[in-house]
Amino acid sequence: MWIRLNLLVFQDTDAADQPLRMPNLLDVFLDARPVERVRAFASGRLAYDPTSVERGDADPTSLAALTASEDGAVLDELWLRFDIERAVFMTLGAQHLRWGTGRIWNPTDVLNRDRRDPLAPADLRTGVPLLRVDVPWTAVGGNLQLAGRLDGADHVGALGGGARLQAVAGPAELSIMAATRDGEPLVLGADLSAGVGPVDVYAEAAVSHGHARRWTGRLDVASLTLPTAEDRDEAWIPQVVAGVEWPIAYGDDDLFALGAEYFFNDSGYPDAELHPWLIVQGDFNAFYVGRHYAAAYAVLAAPGTWDDTTFALTGIANLSDKTAAVRLGVTQAVRRRLFVEPFVAVLAGERGGELRFSADVEVPGQPAIHIPPPLLQAGLWLRVPL
């Protein structure tokens, strides 16, 4: 159970008008093993926000309406797992699966419907319907994984999927992958992680081909000047992540970790000029809209006698539009059953950029839309494993 209280503070906005949200979640699961080597698992998620109002009662141009959350129930996981002669392991149904080695960005994680929010205290994405086959490959010390995508596949031609081969080479672990689906780009990728002295280094790269477009030009609603779509179907579009992490053990149970990561995204944009248009077109992908990103983080786990406390400091910058976010989070375990997780994130940089998005749109005959840039995010999450 997640009891969550979130506050988003906007610039040039009265304190009484700052949006407050309480998007609580309840995950309920059933886990059964009717016989050895057969396991069935189901998990449902109920969302309930007591701060939400009826859509007809809300001002559609208000900040409260723009940040509203919805109540309802969704399926998180529903899968059946079994093996064939302990050599081939199969999982069929909605399940969690993540590819790649990046801590913040994962361009090879293409089987998930959504990208992970790197500023969220936890990954709350729901599972993806897959037919997953794992075949251990002892010759390379790794595993061959095949995954067929079933979401929205109402006929055979709509099926898609991917394959990933993992292997061990000395102190390094590496993998190669490929994924495709009708109407979506072909994605080829690879990732690597290795220990080099006291540090861990990792990298991840993907190139996509087909079904891509980039918007060019200007956006001026008053003069009806709109961007145009540039066809990039014939281009190979690279995305590259590289990072380093240094874990420092300074006591029997004390750990301090430092990390940094860089992301080059050739599908992104060099500035923030077209951000409003990308949102209207459904092409605005948070943390994947710029061309250059950088991140740094520090984690302090169980310092000294604070054995039930973890501090995490994360900074993420969109170098293309010159915006950044710095987040400090704390996880405090209370009797190992209640986890109290307060956090605060400061948003900085140029007005209108990805992390300080703002917009002023005036359409003749329609109410003006004014979205001021955000300054601060804060929240308190309470998590209880039931």
Side-chain angles (χ1 to χ4, degrees), residues 55-360:
R55 289 190 177 274
D57 299 334
D59 179 0
T61 64
S62 68
L63 294 176
L66 294 172
T67 60
S69 55
E70 296 185 358
D71 298 341
V74 296
L75 178 70
D76 182 20
E77 295 183 82
L78 179 68
W79 50 260
L80 178 67
R81 180 174 297 164
F82 56 93
D83 68 80
I84 302 175
E85 299 297 330
R86 301 185 186 273
V88 178
F89 300 85
M90 305 186 69
T91 307
L92 176 61
Q95 56 195 282
H96 292 166
L97 179 64
R98 176 176 173 266
W99 286 355
T101 57
R103 309 291 193 269
I104 307 296
W105 294 278
N106 290 117
T108 65
D109 187 27
V110 294
L111 295 183
N112 279 293
R113 290 178 292 245
D114 302 308
R115 296 292 190 178
R116 180 170 55 94
D117 181 357
L119 289 176
D123 186 356
L124 295 178
R125 294 177 296 177
T126 55
V128 184
L130 300 170
L131 170 58
R132 172 180 160 189
V133 180
D134 290 276
V135 182
W137 195 342
T138 56
V140 297
N143 179 68
L144 174 62
Q145 188 172 89
L146 306 174
R149 288 180 55 183
L150 306 176
D151 52 308
D154 59 354
H155 60 283
V156 174
L159 291 170
R164 186 173 188 240
L165 174 62
Q166 299 170 281
V168 176
E173 296 182 5
L174 53 91
S175 71
I176 56 175
M177 58 77 62
T180 188
R181 190 177 194 175
D182 185 40
E184 297 183 9
L186 165 67
V187 180
L188 306 177
D191 62 67
L192 167 73
S193 63
V196 180
V199 303
D200 298 323
V201 297
Y202 57 90
E204 179 177 342
V207 289
S208 60
H209 179 73
H211 303 285
R213 66 182 179 183
R214 183 197 297 277
W215 294 99
T216 59
R218 294 177 56 250
L219 173 63
D220 188 343
V221 178
S223 63
L224 296 180
T225 301
L226 303 177
T228 57
E230 173 191 350
D231 187 348
R232 303 188 74 192
D233 284 354
E234 299 303 319
W236 287 92
I237 302 173
Q239 295 175 304
V240 181
V241 171
V244 59
E245 186 173 272
W246 184 18
I248 305 170
Y250 62 94
D252 292 339
D253 299 312
D254 302 321
L255 178 67
F256 179 53
L258 293 172
E261 190 168 306
Y262 168 76
F263 177 40
F264 169 71
N265 176 29
D266 191 49
S267 65
Y269 290 79
D271 52 45
E273 183 177 356
L274 297 182
H275 283 5
W277 181 253
L278 296 177
I279 292 176
V280 172
Q281 296 296 322
D283 290 343
F284 188 96
N285 297 313
F287 299 101
Y288 289 80
V289 73
R291 285 181 63 82
H292 300 276
Y293 288 89
Y297 58 89
V299 178
L300 183 62
T305 58
W306 294 18
D307 294 337
D308 297 322
T309 307
T310 299
F311 299 90
L313 179 66
T314 304
I316 299 177
N318 182 329
L319 304 178
S320 300
D321 65 21
K322 299 180 176 58
T323 57
V326 179
R327 181 187 182 280
L328 175 62
V330 180
T331 299
Q332 176 66 50
V334 180
R335 296 187 179 180
R336 303 187 183 278
R337 297 302 297 173
L338 170 64
F339 296 88
V340 182
E341 299 173 325
F343 68 91
V344 60
V346 178
L347 309 174
E350 295 187 359
R351 183 185 182 117
E354 176 185 4
L355 300 173
R356 296 202 70 223
F357 178 78
S358 64
D360 293 284

